[in-house]
Amino acid sequence: MPRLRALLGFVRAWRRRSTFETEMAEEMRLHLEQRVEQHLRAGMSPPEARLAALRAFGGVAQIQDACRDQRRFAWLDGFAQDLRHGVRQLTRHPGFGAIAVLTFALGIGANTVVFSVAKAVLLRPLGFDAPEQLVWVRLANTGTGATADRVSWRDIEDIRGSTQVFASLAMFGARSATWERDGRLEELPALSVSPSLADVLRVRPALGRPLLPSDAEERAAPVVLVSHELWQTRFGGTPDVIGRHLRLDEVVHTIVGVLPPGLQFPLARAPSAGTGTTLTAGLQAFWFPMNVHREDRVSRGARMFLPIGRLKPNVATEAAGAELAALGRRLAADHPETNRGWTFDLVSIRDQVLGRTRYGIPMLGAAVGAVLLICCVNLANLLLARGVARQSELAVRATLGAGRRRLVQALLLETTVLALLGGAVGLLLAEGAVRGVRVLAPANVPFIRDSTVDGTAVMFTAGLSLVTALVCGLLPALRQSRSDVGASARPGNRTTGGPQIRLWQQGLLVGQIAAVLVLLTSAGLLLESFRRLIGQDLGYQPHAVIALDLRTRGFQTNENVSRMYRALHGRLAALPGVDAVGTISSAPLTGKWTFDEKAQVVDRPLPEADRPSLSGTFVAYDYFQAMGIALLDGRHFRDADLKDDDVGPMAVINEAAATLLFPGRPAVGGRFTIGNRDRVLEVVGVVRDTRDVRLDDRPQPRFYLHYAFGGAQVVVRSRVPSGVLIPLVRDAVHATDRRVIVHEITAMTDIVAATVAERRFLMIMLVTYAAVALGIAAVGTFGVAAFQVAQRTREFGIRLALGASPRGLLGLVLMQAGRTAVAGLAIGLVCSFVTSRLLASQLFGVSPHEPWLLAMASVALLLVTLLASLVPARRATRVDPMGPLRFD
Amino acid sequence: MLILRVLRSGEMHGWGIADRIQLVSKEVLSVGEGSLYPALYRLQAQGWIDSTWGQSDNNRRAKYYRLTKSGRKQLEVEQAAWDRVALAIAEVMRSA
């Protein structure tokens, strides 16, 4: 009730406010008149009576003021008054206002950009029920830590049987389906799935029924689920689609169900996550029941399946991971021939989708936080300096009765106005920057193209502006509202503002320099990391090389495919400007499948558990020449040896394989077998190691077999620019055989760039922010130095008059700046030690405490600081000795 | 508190209140205008007294103040508190 009463009182007072002044004046006047009358009646003369009455009454103006303060909304009036005054002050000093607003805008705007990006990337819903329960299961090598995405059927059965952590577990594999309709062939992306995938993802068919275990049996009738989108566009969205027949991959399938709308599975994965296995992310046209051959169900080593599981609701990912790792160890002990050195690993789907960006975004957040801090320091210094100039104004206000609280309130209000203006400008800047991010950011940084500056970003900006205003403005406001009225009126202090201000300013500068150093070293580390990563020897030369991805369905036999490649090779090699053409079943960094086999050297047999594992791929024609992979020993494959229907008995291995299989002796001529096959392979050549999977992985031992495999990629090296080459290539493919579909043509340099896209993005952002921070710090240093020189003009004048040389004064100022810088650098070095350690996971080939980097950053910052102080320092030398002495 | 008590007897204008307090306290307490008016305005802001313009006895315009219901309650509260304090002081003075 008291609150309600207070509110009513407020409302009443508000309504009366216009009459308040007149009523009060009237009341006082009448009171006074009454007193005068009393005195007159008592016998005084009119002037005496008036005097006595006034004396008894007291100071009318003070009393009225005291009454005004008693009003309910007194503070509101003061607020409005201060606001108007503040705005007037700003318009009178537009330079100061502009600089302040701009600094706010940069600091706050930068934060808004990162906020928008973070919101888009980190908080984007993944489109599944309880996505935090969904995890990928994969193999992890206990020795190297490398991971492999595919597991075997037996692995899955073991997991299902021996662990309790999964509510449901499923497998799938990517495939494409060629749909034959009215004589036309169309190729669409699809998945082979185990029936439990619908349970794992918690999706129910929009129509019809889900896939059942009976559909996956060997003699089951071929059935398929179609996507919602396909159903709408090709089947008219009618319910009679159930039971219709489709000719897919030359087999008639029956549609038994329609998937729910908007089902995007699998999700696009960040290139830094996973082992480079490509999956067509997004909408799949068909779901086929996974048909697994009996031998693949039994063999532990047949690692062909991608498993995904949903954890039970109360199971934490770490606990599940631990249980799976324990299972992995048990299996490694029980079945060393397939499982030794491998264990199981879990990754949540969100981590897979985000990849490196998950750590990059918080890092960017810290960076812009530092930028904002630097801006705040600048602003605080700016306000302190401004306060000195306003000292007389504030002294007058204090004398007229403004309490400390009121002065602080007034000053903070001014700062808040500046901050909000700056926030508004910053919002505009952020809008532009985010638009730039949307366009320029690499497509495979997940979700980044969705960044927008929306309502929440506006609220964030407003909130940040208010907080910043408080942080920047509180110190100067408190300093300036101190009631040494007398001190400020004294002549000496009118322009210097006292030694305390200088101490504060220097202190703030030290902090600023430390923050900039931390940013510079972090940016430098990332930059150097990136440089080293892409500067590595890849083992091949991606420039001037394009890779063709072909689809070869409908060729019936492998021989036909081989013959097609032969003809294609002939045509492409004949094109003008083409230097070499070759085929490979898995081009570097494209993540197409390779097969891993255990190798057994013929004359040095080892037990199965100890045999080294190599990854294999099929090449034909001039692959190594086209890719620019150097031949170190022996010879290349000969085209004459290439058979159309079988793999040749020769193999080419890379250096790593050579040292592994034939240590200490030349590999050429050596013979080995792979897997459990009887076929003996003879090494005819040794080539350089290549970085095939990820740039930051060590090259794996590899062997190359001679065969033009269906679905192989064609690699073309040419001197002609790709714009000219690509149409010619397409024509050549079409002319060779109309059944071949060119799925994709990519330049190798683009493929390489795509794998480092996330790193590059983060690096560019951080470097930009560091540069901005350096600029702001330079401006700040300049401003403070200029201010202090202006403050000390009197002192300099005296020094000059007493015989100091101008050069000496210059040295004095620079020494001061240098001292501040060194103090800042010292603190900054300590801080960057800590932050560099946090960055360690993002670095490549660079130690977090790289000394020369720290040294370079420190020297650069020192130079910038000294340069920034140079101009004001030179101004100090030109001080006219008589001027300040006469002025004061 | 004193103002509230004075107004309990009836509504009054500013200088009337001052005169009354001075009179009843036998000249011991004299409320100067410097503290009277701010106090009146504060009490009004709190909602314990209310004011209206009217005619005084000698046909002058004056602002009359009167006690509100909550003001009456507030007076009781303050009076009780004052009595407690006065009693305590008296006890100490008598027996300490």
Side-chain angles (χ1 to χ4, degrees):
Chain A
M1 263 321 279
R3 282 201 197 279
L4 188 62
R5 199 184 313 132
L7 192 65
L8 286 173
F10 194 93
V11 171
R12 223 179 301 142
W14 183 266
R15 271 190 280 148
R16 280 205 206 153
R17 65 196 295 262
S18 50
T19 52
F20 179 86
E21 288 293 320
T22 39
E23 279 192 8
M24 183 170 67
E26 177 87 354
E27 189 176 6
M28 304 279 178
R29 191 181 59 81
L30 290 166
H31 189 128
L32 214 58
E33 276 185 17
Q34 185 72 8
R35 287 276 174 254
V36 170
E37 271 196 23
Q38 269 183 340
H39 286 284
L40 283 177
R41 265 184 267 135
M44 292 191 199
S45 66
E48 274 181 359
R50 189 142 190 93
L51 202 62
L54 280 173
R55 213 182 295 137
F57 199 90
V60 181
Q62 271 96 318
I63 297 176
Q64 286 193 334
D65 223 23
C67 289
R68 280 194 205 101
D69 283 343
Q70 296 303 326
R71 284 178 313 162
R72 280 268 132 184
F73 49 89
W75 64 270
L76 200 64
D77 252 10
F79 200 77
Q81 203 175 39
D82 291 335
L83 196 64
R84 263 175 291 155
H85 183 71
V87 170
R88 247 205 316 267
Q89 284 285 77
L90 285 179
T91 49
R92 225 181 283 151
H93 297 98
F96 162 78
I99 294 180
V101 166
L102 194 65
T103 315
F104 270 121
L106 280 176
I108 296 176
N111 275 276
T112 309
V113 170
V114 172
F115 175 82
S116 301
V117 168
K119 199 169 67 76
V121 171
L122 296 176
L123 296 182
R124 160 84 180 259
L126 297 176
F128 295 112
D129 217 19
E132 65 280 0
Q133 292 172 347
L134 290 174
V135 290
W136 297 97
V137 180
R138 54 185 192 184
L139 290 171
N141 190 309
T142 45
T144 64
T147 55
D149 284 344
R150 294 175 198 268
V151 301
S152 68
W153 187 272
R154 289 298 297 273
D155 287 329
I156 299 288
E157 303 227 298
D158 288 331
I159 294 175
R160 229 188 235 133
S162 316
T163 60
Q164 306 297 320
V165 298
F166 286 108
S168 47
L169 196 55
M171 285 172 291
F172 69 100
R175 58 174 289 181
S176 60
T178 312
W179 185 12
E180 194 182 320
R181 207 163 60 123
D182 308 324
R184 281 183 309 133
L185 286 175
E186 188 182 353
E187 189 164 347
L188 295 166
L191 293 181
S192 285
V193 306
S194 67
S196 41
L197 188 63
D199 289 329
V200 169
L201 298 178
R202 290 206 192 139
V203 295
R204 258 186 295 276
L207 208 64
R209 67 163 178 83
L211 293 175
L212 301 169
S214 54
D215 296 323
E217 279 163 25
E218 283 201 44
R219 301 228 178 274
V223 297
V224 75
L225 297 179
V226 297
S227 75
H228 203 263
E229 289 67 27
L230 200 74
W231 175 47
Q232 295 286 342
T233 54
R234 307 300 182 81
F235 297 97
T238 54
D240 66 351
V241 69
I242 307 295
R244 290 227 344 217
H245 298 292
L246 298 179
R247 195 177 173 78
L248 300 165
D249 295 337
E250 294 153 22
V251 174
V252 174
H253 287 74
T254 314
I255 300 179
V256 293
V258 176
L259 293 167
L263 177 65
Q264 294 223 13
F265 181 78
L267 297 169
R269 295 205 284 178
S272 61
T275 55
T277 314
T278 49
L279 292 169
T280 317
L283 298 171
Q284 310 291 325
F286 303 107
W287 276 18
F288 292 90
M290 186 179 266
N291 218 315
V292 183
H293 298 295
R294 200 171 300 129
E295 60 258 22
D296 291 328
R297 285 181 203 249
V298 163
S299 157
R300 277 186 182 281
R303 302 218 154 103
M304 309 156 30
F305 308 102
L306 292 164
I308 183 169
R310 182 178 283 278
L311 294 173
K312 289 189 182 151
N314 46 355
V315 175
T317 318
E318 298 80 37
E323 203 172 317
L324 249 68
L327 174 66
R329 282 194 292 276
R330 279 203 302 278
L331 289 177
D334 293 340
H335 302 278
E337 68 281 4
T338 48
N339 288 53
R340 182 155 99 169
W342 293 100
T343 184
F344 297 114
D345 190 36
L346 285 184
V347 184
S348 78
I349 57 170
R350 191 175 279 279
D351 285 347
Q352 280 271 345
V353 169
L354 293 180
R356 176 166 283 114
T357 314
R358 189 155 176 274
Y359 304 104
I361 299 281
M363 189 178 71
L364 279 184
V368 288
V371 169
L372 187 64
L373 213 67
I374 293 170
C375 287
C376 281
V377 165
N378 262 19
L379 284 159
N381 269 335
L382 205 65
L383 289 167
L384 275 176
R386 180 108 174 77
V388 168
R390 294 173 69 174
Q391 248 174 0
S392 40
E393 172 209 334
L394 290 170
V396 167
R397 286 181 82 170
T399 322
L400 285 179
R404 182 142 190 225
R405 198 143 165 258
R406 178 76 187 270
L407 284 179
V408 170
Q409 177 186 299
L411 291 169
L412 273 182
L413 202 59
E414 283 179 27
T415 316
T416 310
V417 166
L418 285 172
L420 286 174
L421 275 177
V425 175
L427 202 61
L428 289 175
L429 290 176
E431 169 71 35
V434 167
R435 221 170 269 195
V437 164
R438 271 208 296 269
V439 167
L440 298 173
N444 46 11
V445 175
F447 304 137
I448 200 151
R449 298 271 168 102
D450 297 334
S451 311
T452 50
V453 175
D454 61 359
T456 40
V458 172
M459 280 190 355
F460 170 78
T461 310
L464 194 63
S465 308
L466 291 175
V467 169
T468 316
L470 202 66
V471 166
C472 294
L474 198 62
L475 171 67
L478 286 173
R479 279 240 61 231
Q480 286 153 37
S481 55
R482 280 220 314 240
S483 43
D484 334 354
V485 171
S488 59
R490 239 185 289 130
N493 277 344
R494 203 173 305 153
T495 45
T496 62
Q500 276 234 338
I501 292 252
R502 203 153 88 189
L503 210 63
W504 273 111
Q505 288 191 319
Q506 299 293 81
L508 287 172
L509 268 189
V510 165
Q512 189 179 56
I513 291 176
V516 174
L517 186 69
V518 169
L519 268 184
L520 280 181
T521 46
S522 307
L525 281 172
L526 280 193
L527 194 61
E528 186 60 22
S529 259
F530 188 75
R531 217 176 54 83
R532 294 206 185 169
L533 186 67
I534 59 174
Q536 288 184 102
D537 183 12
L538 294 168
Y540 48 91
Q541 314 294 324
H543 298 279
V545 177
I546 60 170
L548 283 81
D549 216 343
L550 303 176
R551 292 281 181 266
T552 55
R553 294 230 164 246
F555 271 83
Q556 266 117 21
T557 60
N558 286 334
E559 282 166 314
N560 294 344
V561 173
S562 299
R563 263 183 239 131
M564 184 277 291
Y565 275 117
R566 194 184 290 272
L568 183 60
H569 169 258
R571 259 185 224 273
L572 289 174
L575 287 176
V578 169
D579 290 330
V581 178
T583 65
I584 181 168
S585 57
S586 162
L589 301 177
T590 55
K592 300 251 184 285
W593 69 269
T594 57
F595 57 97
D596 292 321
E597 294 281 5
K598 297 250 183 201
Q600 168 91 295
V601 177
V602 165
D603 41 5
R604 279 191 322 130
L606 291 169
E608 195 172 346
D610 297 330
R611 289 183 212 161
S613 183
L614 306 181
S615 76
T617 183
F618 295 99
V619 302
Y621 306 108
D622 300 329
Y623 169 73
F624 295 110
Q625 294 91 319
M627 253 324 181
I629 301 176
L631 181 72
L632 299 174
D633 199 7
R635 62 167 178 83
H636 284 301
F637 289 126
R638 285 193 291 249
D639 285 356
D641 293 331
L642 182 64
K643 295 190 215 153
D644 284 343
D645 56 352
D646 200 5
V647 181
M650 288 148 292
V652 170
I653 62 178
N654 67 1
E655 298 168 87
T659 38
L660 202 58
L661 292 177
F662 307 104
R665 55 185 168 124
V668 179
R671 288 138 64 90
F672 65 100
T673 60
I674 47 170
N676 291 324
R677 323 273 158 82
D678 296 329
R679 184 204 297 272
V680 175
L681 298 168
E682 182 180 334
V683 178
V684 299
V686 178
V687 292
R688 166 143 299 142
D689 288 336
T690 52
R691 292 184 194 273
D692 296 298
V693 177
R694 283 189 2 206
L695 289 190
D696 42 5
D697 268 346
R698 262 201 332 258
Q700 300 297 308
R702 248 185 170 209
F703 64 96
Y704 300 88
L705 297 178
H706 201 201
Y707 189 51
F709 199 87
Q713 293 168 292
V714 180
V715 175
V716 180
R717 173 180 290 275
S718 94
R719 274 170 266 149
V720 178
S722 50
V724 176
L725 182 66
I726 289 177
L728 293 174
V729 164
R730 280 193 197 272
D731 290 341
V733 171
H734 198 64
T736 308
D737 194 316
R738 282 174 178 268
R739 289 172 294 176
V740 178
I741 304 171
V742 177
H743 183 73
E744 215 176 338
I745 303 185
T746 343
M748 254 337 273
T749 42
D750 287 344
I751 295 177
V752 173
T755 52
V756 294
E758 291 158 295
R759 266 194 210 264
R760 178 187 281 123
F761 170 71
L762 289 172
M763 176 202 74
I764 290 178
M765 294 280 278
L766 196 62
V767 167
T768 311
Y769 283 136
V772 166
L774 189 62
I776 296 175
V779 168
T781 311
F782 172 81
V784 168
F787 173 74
Q788 286 183 350
V789 163
Q791 278 190 319
R792 293 169 76 180
T793 13
R794 197 158 147 269
E795 175 198 338
F796 289 158
I798 294 177
R799 279 184 195 259
L800 283 174
L802 287 180
S805 75
R807 182 100 39 96
L809 284 184
L810 188 79
L812 196 70
V813 176
L814 284 181
M815 275 296 288
Q816 168 105 58
R819 267 200 298 268
T820 320
V822 166
L825 287 177
I827 299 179
L829 280 173
V830 170
C831 294
S832 58
F833 251 61
V834 175
T835 50
S836 301
R837 182 155 301 166
L838 294 173
L839 270 187
S841 64
Q842 300 279 331
L843 300 179
F844 176 82
V846 170
S847 129
H849 306 304
E850 196 81 35
W852 67 266
L853 195 75
L854 290 171
M856 252 182 51
S858 308
V859 168
L861 196 52
L862 187 65
L863 279 178
V864 166
T865 316
L866 286 177
L867 269 172
S869 315
L870 195 64
V871 173
R874 291 186 60 196
R875 212 181 294 160
T877 64
R878 298 208 208 102
V879 167
D880 167 24
M882 287 315 294
L885 289 176
R886 240 182 271 136
F887 194 9
D888 231 356
Chain B
M1 184 177 67
L2 297 176
I3 296 175
L4 292 177
R5 177 64 183 84
V6 166
L7 286 177
R8 198 175 80 171
S9 327
E11 62 175 31
M12 202 166 303
H13 44 60
W15 70 82
I17 298 173
D19 282 348
R20 185 133 186 92
I21 293 177
Q22 197 162 354
L23 187 68
V24 172
S25 70
K26 300 186 179 49
E27 306 283 319
V28 174
L29 303 169
S30 83
V31 185
E33 283 75 358
S35 30
L36 173 70
Y37 278 105
L40 280 173
Y41 278 68
R42 186 173 61 84
L43 292 174
Q44 180 161 18
Q46 304 272 39
W48 294 330
I49 61 178
D50 209 357
S51 64
T52 36
W53 283 96
Q55 290 277 35
S56 77
D57 2 331
N58 41 3
N59 272 335
R60 279 182 185 281
R61 251 169 59 91
K63 201 176 198 184
Y64 279 84
Y65 292 93
R66 62 175 175 80
L67 208 57
T68 62
K69 196 163 69 165
S70 50
R72 214 169 282 272
K73 235 178 291 182
Q74 181 66 17
L75 175 60
E76 280 168 26
V77 167
E78 283 193 33
Q79 184 144 22
W82 172 255
D83 287 340
R84 269 201 305 275
V85 169
L87 201 64
I89 294 177
E91 281 295 313
V92 170
M93 292 311 290
R94 189 158 32 129
S95 49

